[in-house]
Amino acid sequence: MAALIGGWLAVKSILDRGPVIEIVFKSAEGLEAGKTKVKYKDVDIGLVTAVSLSKDLRQVLASAELVKDFQPHLVEDTRFWLVKPRISGGSVSGLGTVLSGAYIGVDVGKSSREQKTFAALEMPPVIQLDTPGREFVLRSADLGSLAIGSPVFFRRLQVGQVVGYQLDENGRGVSLKLFVNAPYDRFVTDNSRFWNASGIDVKLGASGIEVDTQSLASLLLGGVAFETPEESVALPGAAPDTGFELFADRARAMRNPERDVLKMVLLFDESLRGLETGAPVDFRGIAIGEVTAIRVELEPDSRRIVMPVEISLYPERLRLRSRDKDLPQLSGEARRRFLEELVAKGLRAQLRSGNLLTGQLYVGLDFFPRRPRPGSTGTASRPDCPPRAAAWASCRHPCSASPAGWKSCRWSRSAPTCDRPCRPPAAYCTGWTPRSLRRSWLPWARRARP
């Protein structure tokens, strides 16, 4: 009878025994056989039974026996990690283990393939696999101040966080993974715009200084914000793992993508100091393009050094302001002939001062009928627009280019615009101080006043 009872207890013990798995760690810190527990959602589901080194002595193998009911959840995407006190960015986790001791956390996967050996994560996962929401991918030139756990904002509400990042295979950029919690993930459409919301955005405008930041957390830890244009709000939510570009700020992110781009080349034979890539191209106060490239070339025939400046014009910006916005677009050849006619009528490019304090320049387009056109150097894909000598402070009125002409110059609203550079002599342009400005420039301005 005693033998039957002993046999029955042995069989019952074998039948009730749960699965034994192996978890691979980089070190045995916090692991102790017979004491370290395995928990899922703070419920004990197993115990570490043995801790040993691998054959190559590079890893630590922890054997754990789990409860029988957990057998169906041991699949290939189930994750294990060691829970202990950690300080990461602005968050502190695992403080409860200070008294109770470290334990192994579990995140149940969704795969159907069973697995018995698992590689432990070095850091706890930011988002559990059963958390409702969607993941998206952002592409950026660099990581900036973003890190795992950086918040994601929508209308200044934190709706998610960055869960991972990696360097692209070609080394030319960084791909970031972010998770947006439900129900906010439905506001991410295929036309949503993402930008780096880290730090403070300071703008100096006509109304004063504007300071913008998402929150104190984004100021300290970095963050990402997104917004969907009004015309795209009704679109369905983007699919998981949809890729988006990460812009540097909101202004660039919310800029409408230019579908109609016209390339042109400007040839300058003067200093381009102050002109940078991205500088606006202006036509009578309306920004219609931007500078895309600045180069230096030597003309073999004339032995002359020229400064080619490539610009991109966006005709759609002018078309939207026109009454005839519904007219069909011109073909490539018709557009080139139209530009040739505008240049023949006096369309010229000019470097103008955009900021007297920083010395930044921009390209201004306008009509100067008296200005002769130099020889064309454009191509079929990139026609040329002859430059005009830069005007100091964008001053344009009929005068002589000599100092004597400046002294006798008078403002006249009815006189036609001159085609010469309206530039004061060197004494008025260089080496001035507030006192010398009052002595030299202000007397000339009083004489030039109509």
Side-chain angles (χ1 to χ4, degrees), residues 293-357:
I294 302 175
R295 302 194 307 273
V296 179
E297 293 182 359
L298 173 64
E299 292 184 349
D301 298 334
S302 61
R303 300 292 181 179
R304 187 168 63 100
I305 297 178
V306 295
M307 317 289 286
V309 176
E310 293 185 10
I311 63 174
S312 294
L313 299 182
Y314 310 126
E316 189 69 21
R317 296 186 181 182
L318 285 177
R319 188 180 297 114
L320 293 176
R321 295 173 178 264
S322 172
R323 297 180 182 177
D324 303 327
K325 62 180 66 177
D326 297 329
L327 290 177
Q329 297 184 8
L330 298 177
S331 62
E333 184 60 29
R335 175 177 291 174
R336 178 175 175 81
R337 290 197 302 268
F338 178 69
L339 285 175
E340 292 289 341
E341 294 176 1
L342 293 180
V343 173
K345 293 180 180 180
L347 180 64
R348 300 292 184 268
Q350 180 186 43
L351 291 179
R352 298 178 181 175
S353 175
N355 193 314
L356 291 178
L357 296 179

Side-chain angles (χ1 to χ4, degrees), residues 40-91:
Y40 177 68
K41 296 185 181 295
D42 289 334
V43 177
D44 295 347
I45 61 171
L47 183 69
V48 174
T49 57
V51 179
S52 61
L53 291 172
S54 61
K55 293 182 179 181
D56 58 2
L57 305 180
R58 294 183 177 180
Q59 297 173 325
V60 174
L61 308 179
S63 297
E65 182 178 346
L66 307 182
V67 296
K68 185 178 180 180
D69 295 338
F70 206 77
Q71 173 70 47
H73 305 296
L74 296 176
V75 292
E76 61 180 359
D77 57 344
T78 296
R79 302 180 291 183
F80 295 84
W81 67 94
L82 187 65
V83 179
K84 59 182 181 180
R86 299 177 189 268
I87 300 177
S88 176
S91 61

Side-chain angles (χ1 to χ4, degrees), residues 151-161 180-181 183-189 192-195 197 214-215 223-230 233 254:
V152 177
F153 297 97
F154 177 68
R155 300 190 183 277
R156 300 187 186 277
L157 295 176
Q158 183 173 347
V159 298
Q161 51 193 319
V180 180
N181 299 308
Y184 308 106
D185 57 338
R186 61 189 176 92
F187 298 116
V188 181
T189 69
S192 295
R193 318 290 174 81
F194 291 80
W195 67 91
Q214 291 292 325
S215 70
V224 176
F226 74 91
E227 188 175 337
T228 302
E230 293 295 334
V233 172
M254 299 305 295

Side-chain angles (χ1 to χ4, degrees), residues 117-128:
T117 303
F118 302 88
L121 302 177
E122 295 184 19
M123 296 290 294
V126 180
I127 300 295
Q128 303 292 325

Side-chain angles (χ1 to χ4, degrees), residues 352-353 356 391-396 422:
R352 298 178 181 175
S353 175
L356 291 178
W392 189 84
S394 300
C395 174
R396 287 172 296 175
C422 188

Side-chain angles (χ1 to χ4, degrees), residues 88-91 126-127 138 143-154 157-165 176-181 194-199 214-226 246:
S88 176
S91 61
V126 180
I127 300 295
L138 301 183
L143 184 61
S145 59
L146 300 176
I148 295 178
S150 295
V152 177
F153 297 97
F154 177 68
L157 295 176
Q158 183 173 347
V159 298
Q161 51 193 319
V162 177
V163 297
Y165 58 85
L176 299 95
K177 271 196 171 185
L178 56 86
F179 186 87
V180 180
N181 299 308
F194 291 80
W195 67 91
N196 195 326
S198 306
Q214 291 292 325
S215 70
L216 183 60
S218 66
L219 181 62
L220 299 177
L221 306 176
V224 176
F226 74 91
L246 180 64

